[in-house]
Amino acid sequence: MGLPTETVYGLAAHALDPAAVARIYAAKGRPAWNPLIVHVADARAASQLTRHWPASAQRLADAFWPGPLTLVLHKQPHVPDIVTGGADTIALRVPAHPAALALLRVSELPLAAPSANRFTQLSPTTAQHVEQALGDRVSVILEGGACDIGIESTVLDLTTDPPTLLRPGILGAHALSEVLGQTVRVPGLDATDDNANDARLPHRSPGLSARHYAPRAEVWLASRGEQGEVQNMLDGLPSDARVGVLAIDRGLQLSGAHRTLVLPDEPAGYARSLYAALHALDDDRCTLIVVERPPVTPPWSAINDRLLRSTR
């Protein structure tokens, strides 16, 4: 089932039914070592899937659930290994979307729901994106409108001391640290961190592959603030190249681009627009997308993470 959430659309199935979960992996072409996020109706339902529900988890749940925060904790034995990619941990969150919450509450089931796309490809932020990506691989898609946040949730590992940010999201490390009363470890943006590319090792979070969140078109990043870098990239291409540009600078004047889309110059608005813009350039048959890179500062860390992975 295609399930709308406030982050991206998910491909949902009963998390405690291994056969149902296996169909998620088959539909996405997702490798077995890559774990799934389990969506639940509330913190109580989340705690029932963990061996220990610490006070830190409850504080974060009280502050940010429903919302774009995934917590990683040690799993109960009855949680199938196929859900966790063989790891002894489970990734849990309560989505802040009325349709997703209604389904979770009525069904009283935990739902494994990774992004409803093919593995490593661009995440869907509309029902139409799900249909384009998966076609007849998904029989039901709940129409929930465009996603409010537009990029995947922040993932925080509470099994480490201090807690570790496994995947950046629109909810940043500073906000998490304030609630926890302690520093959150933030690894670098290098996708090899924590052995992320080693398929022999269990992963605690999705979204750690070197290549991820990628459109069909090749993606190049141009440093913002360096005059003419985007234009220099365009000038070096064949005249018949079909190139799309994602810009932040509304005054950017370019020649040689097939289509230029200007995204908001603040992180929340940019995140909300990013995947929809990349989908639009893919649909317009662009073979190369040049992105005017956002600032490399903490508020933009999740967006830079997604852009970097899309280039690999």
Side-chain angles (χ1 to χ4, degrees):
M1 171 186 290
L3 182 70
T5 79
E6 81 282 19
T7 56
V8 300
Y9 274 69
L11 182 60
H14 182 3
L16 302 184
D17 181 343
V21 174
R23 290 196 288 274
I24 291 178
Y25 281 91
K28 287 176 59 68
R30 187 184 183 100
W33 48 260
N34 201 295
L36 307 179
I37 291 175
V38 176
H39 296 66
V40 291
D42 51 36
R44 179 175 176 276
S47 69
Q48 293 174 345
L49 298 173
T50 69
R51 292 207 305 268
H52 174 58
W53 183 254
S56 58
Q58 190 60 52
R59 287 198 298 273
L60 290 165
D62 289 342
F64 300 117
W65 280 358
L69 173 64
T70 295
L71 300 178
V72 173
L73 296 149
H74 289 293
K75 74 179 184 75
Q76 284 279 10
H78 70 274
V79 176
D81 286 344
I82 190 172
V83 173
T84 66
D88 65 349
T89 54
I90 184 171
L92 296 157
R93 90 174 184 99
V94 178
H97 190 287
L101 278 174
L103 181 61
L104 288 163
R105 290 166 179 167
V106 169
S107 68
E108 298 183 342
L109 296 175
L111 297 177
S115 56
N117 56 349
R118 300 303 300 273
F119 181 62
T120 76
Q121 295 182 4
L122 199 54
S123 295
T125 57
T126 68
Q128 182 182 11
H129 293 159
V130 178
E131 186 174 8
Q132 289 174 338
L134 296 178
D136 60 6
R137 292 169 181 258
V138 56
S139 56
V140 176
I141 303 172
L142 293 184
E143 173 59 73
C147 297
D148 287 339
I149 290 177
I151 60 172
E152 299 79 6
S153 62
T154 302
V155 180
L156 184 68
D157 188 350
L158 290 180
T159 70
T160 64
D161 187 17
T164 302
L165 191 73
L166 296 181
R167 180 176 71 185
I170 207 69
L171 182 60
H174 178 71
L176 300 173
S177 296
E178 282 195 329
V179 170
L180 289 171
Q182 66 176 130
T183 300
V184 169
R185 176 176 173 259
V186 182
L189 289 179
D190 183 354
T192 63
D193 200 37
D194 290 334
N195 300 301
N197 293 314
D198 191 342
R200 298 169 299 176
L201 300 175
H203 290 197
R204 294 177 182 266
S205 170
L208 298 182
S209 300
R211 179 173 172 79
H212 220 110
Y213 318 114
R216 295 187 298 274
E218 185 177 359
V219 177
W220 292 358
L221 300 183
S223 297
R224 190 182 187 201
E226 293 188 15
Q227 293 295 324
E229 181 168 348
V230 174
Q231 186 63 62
N232 288 340
M233 287 183 172
L234 297 176
D235 290 343
L237 297 170
S239 59
D240 60 348
R242 198 172 181 92
V243 185
V245 174
L246 290 189
I248 297 179
D249 182 357
R250 296 184 180 277
L252 197 65
Q253 299 295 318
L254 299 172
S255 61
H258 170 70
R259 186 177 179 186
T260 299
L261 299 177
V262 179
L263 274 59
D265 61 359
E266 48 84 22
Y270 192 104
R272 191 179 303 115
S273 306
L274 174 60
Y275 289 160
L278 291 172
H279 276 288
L281 295 177
D282 261 351
D283 292 344
D284 210 11
R285 303 190 309 281
C286 292
T287 57
L288 173 66
I289 299 172
V290 177
V291 180
E292 183 188 15
R293 188 172 178 179
V296 184
T297 58
W300 291 88
S301 61
I303 291 160
N304 279 301
D305 171 78
R306 305 312 191 266
L307 290 173
L308 283 170
R309 293 179 195 276
S310 75
T311 67
R312 296 174 176 174

